Amino acid sequence: MALKSIDPTKTKAWKKLEKHFNEIKNAHMTQWFEEDSNRANRFTIKWDDFFVDYSKNRITQSTIDLFLELAQEVELKQAISSYFSGDKINQTEQRAVLHTALRAPKTAQIFVDDENIIPKIYVTKKKIETFTNNIVNGESKGFTGKPFTDIVNIGIGGSDLGPSMVVDALSFYKNHLATHFISNVDGDHVNEVLKKLNPETTLFIIVSKTFTTQETLSNANTIRQWFLQSGNKDAISKHFVAVSTNIEKVKDFGVSEDNIFPMWDWVGGRFSLWSAVGLSISLSVGYKNFEGLLEGTYKMDKHFKSEPFQSNIPVISAFLSIWYNNFFKAESEAIIPYTQYLNQFATYLQQAIMESNGKTVMRNGDKVNYQTGNIIWGEPGTNSQHAFFQLLHQGTKLIPADFIGFKESLHGNNEHHDKLISNFIAQTEALLKGKSKEEVDNELIDSKLPKDAQKTLTPFKVFEGNRPTTTFFIDKLTPENLGKLIAMYEHKIFVQGIIWNIYSYDQFGVELGKQLATSVLKEISSTKTNSHDSSTKNLINHYKNIAK
Ligand code: F6P
């Protein structure tokens, strides 16, 4: 069933939310905490290894109740069922959206064009498992008979960000293979990586859903030329594998048929790490851990599908995002993981969230007259505390933030972990409470400063507080829990797209730049010039003068 087009701003619930917003917009959360000793429990969801405390948000029970009404009016329940059952909800590309099928059990039955897709997913999983085991245990060898030591993933966007983030996040579980990622068409990127590699012991995985992406094909060609300086054409079959939907193009490139891992058009690039696109993950942490990741993800899928909305983590998270984006007019959201392992998490989410929901057209083709896609950014704590937290605490912008932390230190370094977690907790308290003028005055009385200097300093030291945060406190950073966390954001994206009445699964917005770059490239290497604005013309000429 196609998704209906329902303008959220025309619903009764939206109007009620507007009224409710005007009533509570100036309230301070600290007052709500004082009035209701049960507030933290009321707004905490305990599920599996997750403890999600969203009480430090500018909401009351009425906010959630009104969002529940909104969910009903936009038919969220029906949309979730269309999503999981394989309806072509990516309507503009006429595709199903079934990354969830990649983690469904073997006994599931999910149909696309009358074909149950589960068997072919499991054939590919078996292929990933066998291939991984052979490389990791050294049975498969390079062209000179040596076992592999290095893996290089060549891909960009969804064919890079997901695997790269997960390999980094799970580095505690890593085996002996060194894993590298080459994405940018910047030749300095590929050359920097190649200089560390020995062609005899390196395996290259070319990942491209379409196998037409300029960056990936340029890098793959450069690497093939580099490789052929040592190995011959036959050696390519031992060292190059590919993941793609475009089997013919992969074969044309010279990858042998046995070395092709399939992908399907019902998996969007930015949601593809669960497919063979995650081969570098499986190679890096072993197939068992890759399976663990998928199992965790499947658990979150079940939670999202069956949990009532009031205790459904992705649904509540989506409500909060829309509350700030559309009512408080917040411009961005921060993601702050308190673990260095999730260093790339915000970057990964930027593609998942912004490529999905950065849209201006409703599902009926009309332009939206409200804000959609959130701007996502972030860095791990505590580093970020010493970088941009000043603005979170005292800047003019309201920036809701997700704080993600883990109870256990993987290396058991508890002394450090206590400090890390103290910061994790204290920052959300500071953002909530702030520091009043009275508190600042009392502090300054104890200082040795003269009275009028104290008075001058006071306004600069006041923190308004009332800055919203949601805390995701998770037992331990395991493959399973990472899977749950990523899937939580995937489903949050879905819910936001449904409420905003947009199509979340196409990405036409990245096409125009690609087309123009192709035509500029032609001009750079010829004497022909196309018509451009004067700025673009000057830039092309400036480069041509330097390059020639
Ligand atoms: O940036 C646009 C995009 O199409 C992404 O959606 C995708 O993840 C990326 O390019 C890479 O595409 P491909 O896997 O086809 O090379």
Side-chain angles (χ1 to χ4, degrees):
M1 222 177 51
L3 294 174
K4 282 194 190 163
S5 178
I6 302 168
D7 179 344
T9 62
K10 301 271 158 47
T11 60
K12 287 192 195 110
W14 195 276
K15 306 268 176 266
K16 290 190 210 170
L17 278 163
E18 278 171 339
K19 186 167 172 278
H20 168 66
F21 169 73
N22 283 321
E23 284 157 10
I24 68 149
K25 65 182 179 200
N26 296 321
H28 203 290
M29 285 185 278
T30 47
Q31 201 188 326
W32 291 333
F33 274 99
E34 274 162 31
E35 288 164 4
D36 175 7
S37 58
N38 196 37
R39 182 176 169 88
N41 293 331
R42 183 194 308 285
F43 295 128
T44 293
I45 302 173
K46 290 181 199 152
W47 169 78
D48 211 78
D49 287 357
F50 280 47
F51 184 96
V52 182
D53 177 351
Y54 62 102
S55 63
K56 291 188 180 106
N57 278 289
R58 291 171 69 171
I59 55 163
T60 65
Q61 190 56 50
S62 304
T63 323
I64 298 297
D65 293 344
L66 291 174
F67 267 102
L68 292 170
E69 278 183 43
L70 178 65
Q72 249 196 333
E73 283 191 74
V74 300
E75 301 188 7
L76 178 60
K77 195 98 216 138
Q78 295 85 324
I80 293 174
S81 136
S82 290
Y83 171 39
F84 279 90
S85 60
D87 290 349
K88 295 199 170 159
I89 61 166
N90 176 0
Q91 202 159 316
T92 46
E93 295 183 326
Q94 269 306 298
R95 288 176 185 165
V97 177
L98 277 174
H99 44 278
T100 50
L102 299 167
R103 51 254 192 165
K106 211 171 183 171
T107 49
Q109 292 204 327
I110 300 170
F111 290 86
V112 173
D113 295 330
D114 298 327
E115 182 200 357
N116 179 14
I117 56 172
I118 296 296
K120 63 186 182 191
I121 292 173
Y122 274 83
V123 170
T124 306
K125 279 190 183 175
K126 190 75 210 155
K127 188 169 165 141
I128 297 172
E129 181 179 12
T130 311
F131 186 81
T132 300
N133 292 343
N134 288 341
I135 297 285
V136 175
N137 66 25
E139 229 161 82
S140 291
K141 296 190 168 56
F143 70 98
T144 56
K146 294 182 186 159
F148 289 98
T149 56
D150 291 77
I151 310 293
V152 180
N153 187 90
I154 311 162
I156 195 162
S159 300
D160 165 73
L161 291 163
S164 173
M165 180 275 287
V166 173
V167 166
D168 199 26
L170 297 182
S171 46
F172 179 76
Y173 303 89
K174 229 181 135 358
N175 56 31
H176 62 284
L177 297 167
T179 319
H180 314 265
F181 290 86
I182 298 176
S183 49
N184 202 321
V185 76
D186 177 1
D188 291 339
H189 189 189
V190 57
N191 286 311
E192 278 302 326
V193 177
L194 287 180
K195 82 185 185 195
K196 297 177 219 147
L197 298 173
N198 175 359
E200 292 174 55
T201 57
T202 304
L203 177 80
F204 297 98
I205 312 170
I206 311 168
V207 186
S208 177
K209 182 174 169 183
T210 54
F211 223 77
T212 55
T213 305
Q214 184 199 49
E215 292 89 338
T216 304
L217 292 189
S218 305
N219 283 326
N221 279 314
T222 299
I223 290 168
R224 184 172 57 181
Q225 277 164 24
W226 170 86
F227 181 81
L228 287 173
Q229 289 165 15
S230 324
N232 59 23
K233 277 212 164 119
D234 291 339
I236 289 199
S237 67
K238 288 190 185 320
H239 289 258
F240 285 77
V241 302
V243 183
S244 186
T245 55
N246 197 339
I247 311 295
E248 285 315 306
K249 281 232 182 247
V250 179
K251 284 204 265 181
D252 290 349
F253 179 87
V255 174
S256 71
E257 204 152 355
D258 287 352
N259 286 352
I260 304 175
F261 291 78
M263 227 191 130
W264 304 282
D265 74 357
W266 36 262
V267 181
R270 52 193 175 273
F271 305 101
S272 64
L273 72 93
W274 325 103
S275 69
V277 169
L279 187 58
S280 56
I281 304 171
S282 176
L283 287 164
S284 154
V285 295
Y287 186 75
K288 275 256 148 311
N289 282 321
F290 182 60
E291 236 180 6
L293 183 79
L294 297 183
E295 274 160 22
T297 313
Y298 176 60
K299 280 193 186 169
M300 180 54 85
D301 293 345
K302 282 193 292 184
H303 166 83
F304 176 54
K305 234 178 7 173
S306 56
E307 188 70 26
F309 290 162
Q310 60 267 28
S311 46
N312 189 313
I313 305 171
V315 171
I316 293 289
S317 298
F319 288 171
L320 294 171
S321 257
I322 293 178
W323 182 230
Y324 293 116
N325 188 65
N326 295 82
F327 295 88
F328 281 90
K329 312 287 181 215
E331 287 139 354
S332 72
E333 269 175 35
I335 311 274
I336 320 286
Y338 273 69
T339 166
Q340 201 54 34
Y341 288 118
L342 290 187
N343 195 24
Q344 296 183 39
F345 197 53
T347 312
Y348 159 77
L349 285 180
Q350 280 174 336
Q351 188 205 14
I353 296 174
M354 291 159 80
E355 197 167 90
S356 299
N357 285 337
K359 309 286 166 65
T360 41
V361 178
M362 291 195 284
R363 289 198 287 269
N364 66 359
D366 289 348
K367 203 157 174 233
V368 296
N369 62 358
Y370 46 87
Q371 288 291 316
T372 64
N374 328 69
I375 300 167
I376 300 295
W377 56 285
E379 282 290 322
T382 58
N383 293 6
S384 49
Q385 293 176 197
H386 299 269
F388 53 75
F389 266 48
Q390 165 64 36
L391 189 142
L392 294 192
H393 284 289
Q394 285 190 310
T396 52
K397 293 182 171 56
L398 178 75
I399 303 173
D402 283 355
F403 276 62
I404 302 165
F406 296 88
K407 276 164 72 183
E408 217 175 293
S409 148
L410 293 185
H411 284 276
N413 193 337
N414 294 334
E415 200 197 318
H416 278 255
H417 206 64
D418 288 350
K419 290 175 188 160
L420 177 74
I421 297 303
S422 312
N423 277 279
F424 170 65
I425 296 171
Q427 285 294 334
T428 67
E429 186 181 28
L431 287 161
L432 163 74
K433 272 180 55 190
K435 198 190 254 185
S436 65
K437 184 177 172 302
E438 203 183 6
E439 284 172 289
V440 174
D441 284 341
N442 287 340
E443 234 176 56
L444 288 174
I445 288 169
D446 298 336
S447 74
K448 294 197 174 74
L449 285 174
K451 270 247 152 16
D452 44 338
Q454 285 181 19
K455 211 168 155 214
T456 316
L457 206 49
T458 302
F460 301 99
K461 295 201 140 207
V462 168
F463 291 56
E464 282 169 7
N466 215 14
R467 315 241 157 169
T469 59
T470 303
T471 300
F472 296 84
F473 215 167
I474 304 166
D475 284 357
K476 186 176 173 183
L477 179 50
T478 59
E480 263 214 25
N481 282 336
L482 181 65
K484 291 172 208 164
L485 184 67
I486 301 171
M488 195 292 287
Y489 281 101
E490 286 183 345
H491 299 321
K492 175 179 174 179
I493 292 168
F494 172 83
V495 176
Q496 287 180 273
I498 293 301
I499 295 181
W500 282 326
N501 195 26
I502 53 177
Y503 286 120
S504 300
Y505 297 98
D506 58 25
Q507 55 286 312
F508 299 121
V510 291
E511 294 305 324
L512 177 62
K514 284 191 201 170
Q515 280 161 13
L516 293 187
T518 310
S519 94
V520 170
L521 180 63
K522 282 195 192 125
E523 288 175 59
I524 282 174
S525 46
S526 79
T527 48
K528 191 177 154 275
T529 46
N530 292 337
S531 78
H532 294 285
D533 59 87
S534 58
S535 160
T536 307
K537 202 150 114 198
N538 277 354
L539 293 169
I540 294 172
N541 288 336
H542 183 66
Y543 180 69
K544 275 175 132 176
N545 288 341
I546 291 165
K548 302 295 159 231

